[in-house]
Amino acid sequence: MPLTAHKTYWLEHAWLGTHVEPGVALEVGGDGRIAALRTGAETPPPGAEVLRGLTLPGLANAHSHAFHRALRSLVQIGSGTFWTWREFMYQVAQNLTPERYFALARAVYAEMALAGVTNVGEFHYVHHAPGGAPYADPNAMGEALIEAAAEAGIRITLLDTAYLSAGFGEAPNAHQRRFSDGTAEAWAERVSALKPREHALIGAAVHSVRAVPAGELATVARWAEERQAPLHVHLSEQTAENEACLAAHGRTPTQLLADHGVLGPRTTGVHNTHLTDTDIGLLGASATGTCMCPTTERDLADGIGPAGRLQRAGSPLSLGSDSHAVIDLLEEARAMELNERLRSRTRGHWTANALLTAATADGHAALGRPDAGRLEPGALADFTTIALDSVRTAGPLPRLGAETAVFAASAADVRHTVVGGRHIVRDGHHTLVGDVASALSASIAAVRG
């Protein structure tokens, strides 16, 4: 990302983590960070860029599979399960090339920017050509995603994923061969060639306990530990996976990960849906995070994870749009609370402030950027502004902006997105990708075949 000129923004209303403050002057330094923040600015300072509405820290989409965006609506026909949905996913994955994936991801990341997302955690496992042969550049697919994020103007944590088997003791099937490096050591050698850059961090992922043999889990964990990098893992998304793990190892997936050193404060379990009391205790005691993806979890009929119990046990919460049934982090925050209400038949499990924290500061921390997700001096100048005068948000007092954002607003209410002090979305229009809808249509048609 280019260096930013010194700039001042005047925020009509700003969410500062605990409350909404009217009239905030925010100065951006040449390093793309917040240089100063002044409250009580009743009118815009001379030369300031005015952002009317409610400004939040940029949203962190902590779990994404960019190519799943091509499945939207296609997989809503008829019935089925996660496992039947997966067959549609494989068909799209087979049609990806580095060029097609770049075009699709660029459009998807632009859609995220329009929804107020400034940082995405891309759980990336389509590494090689169909059949499993490496490209001339073994990281061509990952590089395509990194470049796509740059062109869409957002930050990315590329969570390069180890995916080595079809199940416990099973070789990859025909669809999965392009996901696999063969061994965790080969995975580590390949991913070590990926280099971070200003807008991109490199992290690691264990696809799942069924896709990485137990004896190879420690290799992935060690790679992340040596680099102090984020490590993510799909965990107990399906009861069938739990049952297979118990049959193969006599322990739950969480217990297996604990045995092999995968859990810890830089690790995030994605979904964490079907857990035992012991599992919850292990995740909480190790400060392993939890990324909830409620719209995908309900779309795939996965179930409702114990987010409240996990957080109380010590597991920080973040949010992701996962399969991109919709891309709307405000909806993800709202759904986490409303799911818990349905399960418990009581209201008010998280405050609006707590839900926004999961979507901002804690999401960025899960992606290795603890210096983002806050409107305070020294933080990255990444923020987004939501209209308070749309048909969804009009009426409530501005001091209730956090509640309005979580319980009434949607991605359609995002008016501005700023990354590193640079305007990426202005007045609801992407400044770098001129026609995002057309870019989505063309790139999706190319991979659907």
Side-chain angles (χ1 to χ4, degrees):
M1 291 181 179
L3 290 177
T4 305
H6 288 265
K7 193 171 188 177
T8 299
Y9 288 91
W10 182 75
L11 317 179
E12 185 181 27
H13 303 281
W15 179 70
L16 300 183
T18 57
H19 66 289
V20 173
E21 187 77 31
V24 175
L26 185 154
E27 296 179 22
V28 180
D31 58 357
R33 293 180 178 271
I34 298 173
L37 195 75
R38 179 168 60 86
T39 60
E42 296 182 4
T43 58
E49 187 148 358
V50 174
L51 302 183
R52 297 207 176 273
L54 174 68
T55 297
L56 311 168
L59 305 177
N61 190 348
H63 190 66
S64 162
H65 302 292
F67 77 92
H68 289 191
R69 174 63 177 82
L71 298 171
R72 188 182 294 181
S73 299
L74 178 68
V75 292
Q76 313 305 331
I77 301 168
S79 60
T81 66
F82 168 87
W83 307 103
T84 53
W85 168 90
R86 192 173 68 158
E87 294 305 313
F88 285 102
M89 180 270 288
Y90 285 154
Q91 292 172 28
V92 171
Q94 287 300 98
N95 290 328
L96 293 173
T97 65
E99 296 76 19
R100 288 174 177 172
Y101 208 1
F102 164 78
L104 177 57
R106 175 178 175 268
V108 173
Y109 296 156
E111 182 182 357
M112 290 184 193
L114 289 169
V117 171
T118 58
N119 192 13
V120 59
E122 184 61 40
F123 200 104
H124 166 54
Y125 56 85
V126 187
H127 302 305
H128 308 300
Y135 290 103
D137 173 0
N139 285 307
M141 296 293 265
E143 292 289 354
L145 293 166
I146 290 170
E147 183 59 27
E151 291 214 6
I154 70 171
R155 304 183 195 275
I156 184 171
T157 298
L158 187 73
L159 299 161
D160 196 287
T161 304
Y163 193 133
L164 308 175
S165 69
F168 299 95
E170 296 180 34
N173 64 33
H175 296 297
Q176 297 164 340
R177 287 182 194 129
R178 68 180 312 189
F179 307 162
S180 177
D181 291 292
T183 67
E185 287 292 347
W187 166 86
E189 181 179 359
R190 177 184 55 75
V191 73
S192 294
L194 285 163
K195 302 303 178 189
R197 47 221 85 167
E198 186 179 355
H199 81 289
L201 300 180
I202 308 302
V206 170
H207 180 274
S208 55
V209 293
R210 70 177 185 274
V212 177
E216 308 219 40
L217 290 169
T219 299
V220 183
R222 185 168 56 251
W223 186 95
E225 173 68 25
E226 289 171 351
R227 292 158 180 78
Q228 298 291 285
L231 174 60
H232 288 214
V233 54
H234 289 133
L235 181 56
S236 288
E237 182 178 6
Q238 296 290 323
T239 54
E241 178 177 89
N242 287 359
E243 292 161 2
C245 189
L246 284 165
H249 297 289
R251 59 202 64 228
T252 66
T254 301
Q255 291 169 324
L256 189 67
L257 295 175
D259 290 346
H260 292 275
V262 177
L263 304 185
R266 283 190 325 281
T267 300
T268 297
V270 181
H271 304 302
N272 294 359
T273 307
H274 303 285
L275 303 176
T276 67
D277 291 345
T278 300
D279 293 340
I280 292 171
L282 286 169
L283 294 168
S286 61
T288 299
T290 294
C291 180
M292 301 297 293
C293 306
T295 61
T296 292
E297 288 151 6
R298 68 190 182 197
D299 182 56
L300 297 180
D302 287 343
I304 300 172
R309 291 183 61 200
L310 281 160
Q311 188 173 52
R312 290 190 295 273
S315 178
L317 299 179
S318 56
L319 296 165
S321 63
D322 192 2
S323 69
H324 312 313
V326 297
I327 293 176
D328 188 339
L329 267 289
L330 300 174
E331 170 62 21
E332 303 296 346
R334 174 164 56 244
M336 187 164 70
E337 165 67 25
L338 298 185
N339 282 352
E340 197 69 17
R341 292 183 185 187
L342 284 173
R343 189 226 305 271
S344 66
R345 291 182 292 172
T346 60
R347 304 175 75 233
H349 299 273
W350 291 276
T351 65
N353 288 331
L355 293 167
L356 286 177
T357 297
T360 57
D362 287 350
H364 287 286
L367 297 178
R369 290 199 183 268
D371 56 346
R374 296 178 176 82
L375 297 181
E376 61 184 35
L380 292 170
D382 298 355
F383 42 91
T384 188
T385 304
I386 296 171
L388 292 180
D389 58 357
S390 76
V391 293
R392 288 166 294 278
T393 61
L397 296 172
R399 65 181 176 81
L400 298 176
E403 287 75 14
T404 302
V406 171
F407 293 106
S410 77
D413 296 307
V414 170
R415 292 293 173 264
H416 305 282
T417 300
V418 173
V419 181
R422 182 173 63 147
H423 234 120
I424 303 303
V425 173
R426 187 189 300 273
D427 297 319
H429 299 284
H430 203 288
T431 63
L432 303 177
V433 181
D435 187 342
V436 178
S438 292
L440 284 164
S441 293
S443 60
I444 289 170
V447 300
R448 280 191 177 178

